Amino acid sequence: MTGQEAVDLIRLADDEGNSVVVRVTGRYMPGVLTGHDTLTANVLVTTGFVSGQLEVRLSPSDLVAWETALDSLAAGRDISWMGGRAPEIRIELEGGRGCPDVIVDDVPGSMATVTVPVALEEGWVDDQRRRSDEVRRRWPREVVEPSSGVYEWSPSRKRHP
């Protein structure tokens, strides 16, 4: 991880001990053009009844999709994020227990689905935006794809010793 501390891209937690966290731990393949901007992360689910962890890879497009999902949540719409090659994380604002439900559906791996009701505090979407900004600040995009399948270092990339 090259000395960087992990950062929570997503932290949905309440006072009851229920939480869903996506913790970014670093670059997947630092210094390798095709994997440098892919980030490693863990999806951590915790309740009083179950807990679990999944390792995932986040592409730059996943970060853009999360930011778009935050716009939808701010507008009062449910969202679905990732899925396909990775676990799907859904947020249903009107959950069955009077608070949002966060659903982690790991179809590509364990085929398990966990629904976590999380009583979120006012301003939680803005907090998620700040978290996303922090991930981008710590691990900026440094690779460009000028044409399909062709990768180059971004001209603004800082050279590391």
Side-chain angles (χ1 to χ4, degrees):
M1 192 168 66
T2 66
Q4 292 254 2
E5 287 187 31
V7 175
D8 292 345
L9 171 66
I10 300 172
R11 174 171 275 291
L12 305 171
D14 63 22
D15 293 337
E16 303 299 316
N18 291 343
S19 67
V20 175
V21 175
V22 176
R23 182 165 293 147
V24 178
T25 58
R27 292 190 187 274
Y28 174 55
M29 298 174 69
V32 177
L33 277 170
T34 55
H36 183 80
D37 284 344
T38 300
L39 302 176
T40 58
N42 292 305
V43 177
L44 308 162
V45 175
T46 305
T47 73
F49 179 63
V50 298
S51 64
Q53 175 176 316
L54 297 165
E55 186 173 302
V56 296
R57 307 276 183 267
L58 302 176
S59 69
S61 64
D62 291 327
L63 297 179
V64 171
W66 175 240
E67 291 160 354
T68 301
L70 289 172
D71 292 341
S72 293
L73 289 165
R77 294 187 301 271
D78 297 344
I79 61 98
S80 174
W81 181 61
M82 289 198 303
R85 62 163 173 61
E88 180 180 48
I89 296 176
R90 294 188 306 274
I91 299 175
E92 296 176 357
L93 296 172
E94 300 294 325
R97 292 186 172 80
C99 63
D101 281 338
V102 182
I103 299 113
V104 179
D105 193 2
D106 184 32
V107 171
S110 67
M111 298 186 66
T113 301
V114 178
T115 300
V116 181
V118 183
L120 297 168
E121 294 185 15
E122 191 76 28
W124 67 273
V125 173
D126 290 334
D127 179 53
Q128 302 315 301
R129 289 186 200 281
R130 283 189 293 278
R131 293 175 182 286
S132 181
D133 290 345
E134 178 64 13
V135 167
R136 287 189 177 278
R137 187 186 70 74
R138 290 206 188 187
W139 295 285
R141 190 159 187 188
E142 296 181 330
V143 175
V144 294
E145 189 176 0
S147 61
S148 182
V150 176
Y151 300 93
E152 298 175 354
W153 293 112
S154 168
S156 62
R157 180 178 187 248
K158 296 176 185 171
R159 294 291 169 196
H160 303 287

